[in-house]
Amino acid sequence: MAHEKFVEAASVFASPKALALSLEAERAGMTKEEFFNGTGHQPLKDAWQAAVFALGYQELIGRPVMVRLSSHEEFPDFQLKLDDTIHDFECVMVVRKPLGQEFKGDRSLGPVVGDRPSTLPPLDVEPLRAVVAKKAAKHYQGNIHLLV
């Protein structure tokens, strides 16, 4: 498995900031093309979603949370710990254009920094419905949260 040391370290509950810093250190020398088109990087993508969500959630509620990557355990993708309660999360992305195509030939390093558009296109809920239905069809056991 690729990124074995990172996955092992990220499988322990830590602050969202610590996970984000560890993730950026892991992919520091990786081009965007390699990251989005190479094989074996799914744990890094799961960690990115977990870290970004946990950072935002922590900011929203004004209380510290802990997060751990668990995608290497087959299920769930990550866990968020608030006080003494652990919440399981599956995550999935919905994008207009496959990220591999978006970053093909991009040899730059570092995180993707996007510009905020001045206007947003109309919301198309169909891709969201489709991906949620696909995940729901898996009939996960327990109380699972879905991060889209």
Side-chain angles (χ1 to χ4, degrees):
M1 173 175 46
H3 310 290
E4 289 176 18
K5 289 182 181 181
F6 168 78
V7 168
E8 183 178 333
S11 69
V12 176
F13 278 108
S15 72
K17 184 175 182 177
L19 178 59
L21 291 172
S22 175
L23 169 62
E24 289 310 311
E26 179 70 14
R27 55 180 224 104
M30 193 181 304
T31 67
K32 290 177 182 72
E33 178 179 44
E34 180 184 353
F35 179 69
F36 289 110
N37 288 291
T39 60
H41 303 311
Q42 190 59 45
L44 302 182
K45 295 171 187 175
D46 291 340
W48 179 82
Q49 287 183 286
V52 170
F53 174 76
L55 282 165
Y57 186 70
Q58 180 174 266
E59 180 71 23
L60 179 70
I61 65 170
R63 294 170 43 206
V65 300
M66 303 293 276
V67 64
R68 72 179 282 272
L69 186 63
S70 55
S71 57
H72 62 288
E73 299 166 3
E74 300 294 323
F75 174 82
D77 290 329
F78 71 93
Q79 294 179 313
L80 185 134
K81 186 175 182 181
L82 176 61
D83 301 324
D84 292 329
T85 305
I86 296 173
H87 303 276
D88 294 332
F89 281 84
E90 278 290 301
C91 44
V92 63
M93 295 180 111
V94 177
V95 293
R96 294 181 193 276
K97 181 179 178 182
L99 294 176
Q101 289 178 13
E102 186 78 23
F103 293 98
K104 192 160 187 84
D106 188 337
R107 307 295 300 157
S108 65
L109 301 175
V112 174
V113 179
D115 296 326
R116 286 193 175 205
S118 57
T119 59
L120 294 174
L123 177 62
D124 180 5
V125 297
E126 287 312 311
L128 294 171
R129 281 188 181 136
V131 77
V132 169
K134 187 175 178 179
K135 280 287 191 178
K138 292 185 177 186
H139 301 289
Y140 294 114
Q141 297 298 311
N143 188 14
I144 308 306
H145 304 281
L146 179 60
L147 175 62
V148 181

